[in-house]
Amino acid sequence: MPVFHRIARSLLASLLLAVMGATALAVAREGTVPALYEHARQIALTAHRVWP
Amino acid sequence: MPALLFVVAIVAGIAAYGAACLWLIAFVSTPLALVAAAAGVVGGLGVGVVQATTVLFGGYPRTAVRRPSDVRTKLPPVQARYVRRDRAWPQYFVRQVWLDLQASAQWITGTVVGMWSGAAEFTFEQRWVLWFWPLLFVGAVGMLTFSVGMFAALATLAAVVVLVAVPASAVGLLAILALRGADRTWQAVFHADSHCPRCYENTALPAYRCKGRHSPDELREGDDLHRDIRPGRLGVWWRRCSCGRRLPTTVLRAAHRLEATCPYCGYELHKGAGVATDVRVPVFGGPSAGKTHLIMSFVVWLVGPHGQPSTSDNGDGASMADDYSRQRYEEYRELITTGQSAPKTEAGKRPVAVTLRIRSGWRHVLLHFFDAAGEALVDPEQNANFAYLDYARTLIFVLDPFSVAEVRDQLAVNFPDLLREANPSGHDPEDSYQSTVSRLRGYGVQTDRKRLAFVVSKQDLLERVPLGEGLHDDPESVRNWLVSHGLDNLVTAAQRDFREVRYFLVTSTDPSGAGAVAPLLWLLEQDDVKPPRQRPDAKGKVHV
């Protein structure tokens, strides 16, 4: 396969990883994961209050 | 009573199972589903990205690869009738990028479908797990979000591909148009195309031979030839031949780096074909009219009498362009320096062009002389093959004044020795002219767009008889002489048939070439070519 094909493929793979990395960083900065965990905990606590 | 107990037990069991399910949903499934959803998305994205990058790095064996062997069947055909797709790698953004995306989609979809079908199969085989449906719900949510994550990764890859491939294709298309335009503009401005010395076909797009390693089968099939070197689906600035060798695109770049061949007959063309100004000089006229002598004086005058290219300090000069032309030059020089007559041109042989390469400033010119036998030119069957006549911008018609009936009759009485020396053409000049012009018209050539150099030869002999008195090397004088000696019909026909007619009187055997080359200089004028020997010296004097 020609070098240009390999370069273009590497470029696309790098861009995909960059987009994914940027998304992961954005999610981490927004605190989405802790918020999700907190949401799950609140559901469990509410259920416990309703049905002790 | 036992029946009642059985019913109570059943109801109690159902109630207990329902309560347990509700408890599981409230305390386990719902919170876990949220965690599973998050983990599923992250996992799906991760696996999707890994699969996509694996495809892009060539690690997925099922990826379809568009190879040089596929281009003839898997790419749209080339428009030109004589061009078939060359064996070269297609440009990445033309097809392969979409095949990579397709392979990624195939792998990711396959993984998701496999996961769901596996889960369904397991549940179908192990039906007892359905009792734990609140927990299965967690798994289902995880699988669902995992699938969403994988498709999100695929969608991201698709977005990246579209964002890169579409602008790249647009830029590539613009570059292709610009580069093809540069080729066409150059060729139009400098009258640059290529002309096969053997089959006479004319093309703006020579075929180029790749010098890489090709199998005997490829060589036999002509797969080492690149018949459409223009920028396109096989590459914008470069292309990669099936053998792996990198080749330049555009005729402008390929002309001096690759070996050009005729796309019709495969004969090797001259270096620079397609970008050098291509001037064809077809000389026609009756047998023994002096055509060969005229070409001899052109060639020897341009190259010089010593066999060395007449180069100047700045590298300008004229030289023979190929071995065949060098051989002809040696013969011409020998004949001219010893004062011998040229042997009669063989009527049965197709003329091969005698080609000179002229460097004039930064311009390169290929000048082709075609010398067909007069007998062949007047024979419709033979002259039908002389396609070189069609492509010339200016033609040279040579008329032997001693073949004019009135002149011949008068000299036969008073100057029989001179007439013998003149070896007059036995063919009627008007018929010689009409044979070629009719052939041109028959092939749809618009002669009214071409110029004609009407050359009266054997000036040195004509000057020795009273008939030649008052005849000077001046177009008007020559024309008047022709009209006054019964050739008014021929003169009228020439002026009607051609856009411009200029009359010349020459002595083809004059080695100095003073007057003999005047038709050539007039012919080259149209292409703005100044032969090196015509250029002014340091004192501003032009050597003709």
Side-chain angles (χ1 to χ4, degrees):
Chain A
M1 184 166 276
V3 178
F4 182 80
H5 285 210
R6 288 201 287 268
I7 293 172
R9 280 175 151 188
S10 303
L11 171 76
L12 288 175
S14 309
L15 278 172
L16 177 66
L17 291 172
V19 169
M20 287 302 178
T23 309
L25 267 178
V27 168
R29 277 193 188 157
E30 291 286 325
T32 309
V33 174
L36 196 69
Y37 170 73
E38 182 57 28
H39 206 57
R41 201 173 70 88
Q42 286 302 324
I43 289 172
L45 284 173
T46 308
H48 185 60
R49 271 198 297 276
V50 173
W51 192 5
Chain B
M1 191 64 182
L4 181 67
L5 279 175
F6 181 73
V7 170
V8 169
I10 292 284
V11 169
I14 289 172
Y17 176 73
C21 286
L22 281 172
W23 188 88
L24 271 173
I25 288 170
F27 290 98
V28 180
S29 298
T30 309
L32 266 185
L34 283 170
V35 175
V41 168
V42 172
L45 278 171
V47 173
V49 167
V50 167
Q51 290 188 342
T53 47
T54 304
V55 169
L56 290 173
F57 285 116
Y60 184 54
R62 291 186 187 174
T63 308
V65 177
R66 199 56 87 237
R67 297 176 187 283
S69 52
D70 303 325
V71 293
R72 284 182 193 151
T73 51
K74 304 271 175 68
L75 287 185
V78 179
Q79 297 294 321
R81 65 185 165 88
Y82 56 87
V83 176
R84 62 181 184 184
R85 281 252 176 243
D86 302 326
R87 295 259 286 192
W89 284 89
Q91 214 274 348
Y92 181 73
F93 290 111
V94 166
R95 194 74 192 95
Q96 190 58 50
V97 67
W98 305 109
L99 291 176
D100 286 349
L101 182 60
Q102 194 181 325
S104 302
Q106 195 182 356
W107 196 5
I108 286 171
T109 309
T111 305
V112 170
V113 169
M115 180 181 70
W116 282 101
S117 60
E121 199 176 329
F122 174 77
T123 311
F124 189 73
E125 285 173 2
Q126 311 288 330
R127 293 187 185 171
W128 56 268
V129 295
L130 290 171
W131 290 105
F132 299 94
W133 62 268
L135 292 176
L136 288 182
F137 169 72
V138 177
V141 168
M143 281 170 59
L144 185 70
T145 52
F146 183 84
S147 306
V148 169
M150 288 200 79
F151 284 121
L154 179 61
T156 310
L157 175 68
V160 166
V161 164
V162 169
L163 284 173
V164 173
V166 171
S169 300
V171 170
L173 185 64
L174 289 175
I176 286 168
L177 292 175
L179 291 169
R180 286 187 178 202
D183 265 358
R184 298 288 289 269
T185 307
W186 176 281
Q187 290 181 330
V189 170
F190 297 111
H191 294 151
D193 47 19
S194 58
H195 195 89
C196 179
R198 295 275 165 175
C199 73
Y200 314 135
E201 283 296 341
N202 194 44
T203 178
L205 188 59
Y208 294 95
R209 196 175 296 285
C210 171
K211 291 289 187 185
R213 284 185 185 177
H214 290 271
S215 67
D217 282 348
E218 286 178 327
L219 293 173
R220 193 172 52 251
E221 292 292 319
D223 286 341
D224 57 332
L225 275 183
H226 290 254
R227 294 170 182 273
D228 186 2
I229 202 76
R230 294 175 301 171
R233 288 185 169 90
L234 301 183
V236 178
W237 190 246
W238 298 101
R239 68 164 50 177
R240 185 73 61 176
C241 180
S242 58
C243 70
R245 181 169 280 219
R246 195 176 66 161
L247 306 175
T249 60
T250 75
V251 177
L252 280 170
R253 295 175 64 232
H256 294 288
R257 301 180 197 204
L258 303 177
E259 180 190 297
T261 61
C262 173
Y264 297 97
C265 70
Y267 188 74
E268 190 181 333
L269 299 177
H270 298 101
K271 208 172 180 64
V275 296
T277 301
D278 202 80
V279 183
R280 274 83 66 173
V281 189
V283 182
F284 70 102
S288 305
K291 300 183 294 299
T292 307
H293 269 283
L294 192 67
I295 290 174
M296 280 164 49
S297 33
F298 289 166
V299 172
V300 173
W301 181 82
L302 280 166
V303 178
H306 305 298
Q308 296 297 320
S310 54
T311 49
S312 64
D313 293 342
N314 59 2
D316 288 2
S319 57
M320 305 314 292
D322 52 58
D323 290 340
Y324 173 81
S325 301
R326 268 187 283 279
Q327 283 175 11
R328 295 287 81 76
Y329 166 77
E330 290 301 332
E331 288 171 18
Y332 293 167
R333 190 179 60 144
E334 179 72 18
L335 289 169
I336 282 188
T337 50
T338 56
Q340 296 177 62
S341 290
K344 188 156 177 57
T345 310
E346 286 183 49
K349 282 175 69 177
R350 279 160 61 95
V352 177
V354 175
T355 304
L356 282 89
R357 182 184 301 283
I358 297 176
R359 192 178 156 192
S360 174
W362 53 272
R363 286 189 67 183
H364 288 256
V365 180
L366 288 170
L367 186 58
H368 311 276
F369 293 102
F370 294 92
D371 181 20
E375 293 84 351
L377 282 162
V378 296
D379 177 6
E381 273 187 27
Q382 287 196 65
N383 74 19
N385 299 317
F386 298 164
Y388 64 84
L389 292 162
D390 307 346
Y391 301 115
R393 290 180 283 277
T394 304
L395 292 96
I396 296 180
F397 173 63
V398 183
L399 181 137
D400 175 6
F402 298 98
S403 67
V404 180
E406 186 185 317
V407 176
R408 199 174 51 226
D409 293 347
Q410 285 188 33
L411 294 181
V413 177
N414 302 322
F415 299 93
D417 293 340
L418 184 82
L419 193 62
R420 251 194 313 279
E421 190 183 340
N423 183 26
S425 172
H427 205 88
D428 176 38
E430 204 161 330
D431 186 56
S432 306
Y433 170 85
Q434 290 297 354
S435 303
T436 301
V437 173
S438 303
R439 181 237 173 268
L440 288 170
R441 290 229 180 100
Y443 281 83
V445 178
Q446 292 177 301
T447 53
D448 55 353
R449 290 187 173 181
K450 297 177 184 292
R451 304 193 311 166
L452 180 73
F454 196 123
V455 177
V456 177
S457 60
K458 305 178 184 176
Q459 177 191 11
D460 52 337
L461 298 175
L462 202 56
E463 282 172 344
R464 284 159 53 185
V465 292
L467 273 168
E469 281 175 10
L471 179 60
H472 308 291
D473 184 10
D474 162 57
E476 200 54 31
S477 165
V478 177
R479 184 184 175 282
N480 291 339
W481 186 89
L482 291 168
V483 170
S484 62
H485 287 83
L487 292 173
D488 46 338
N489 280 342
L490 179 56
V491 168
T492 307
Q495 289 182 332
R496 183 195 59 215
D497 294 336
F498 288 89
R499 175 167 62 86
E500 188 181 353
V501 182
R502 177 76 68 90
Y503 300 88
F504 298 91
L505 179 64
V506 303
T507 305
S508 306
T509 49
D510 178 8
S512 73
V517 293
L520 177 68
L521 297 178
W522 181 70
L523 183 145
L524 293 177
E525 210 178 77
Q526 188 183 24
D527 294 301
D528 197 26
V529 176
K530 290 184 171 57
R533 297 190 65 177
Q534 197 206 6
R535 299 189 135 225
D537 61 14
K539 294 175 184 170
K541 189 180 175 189
V542 175
H543 298 279
V544 175

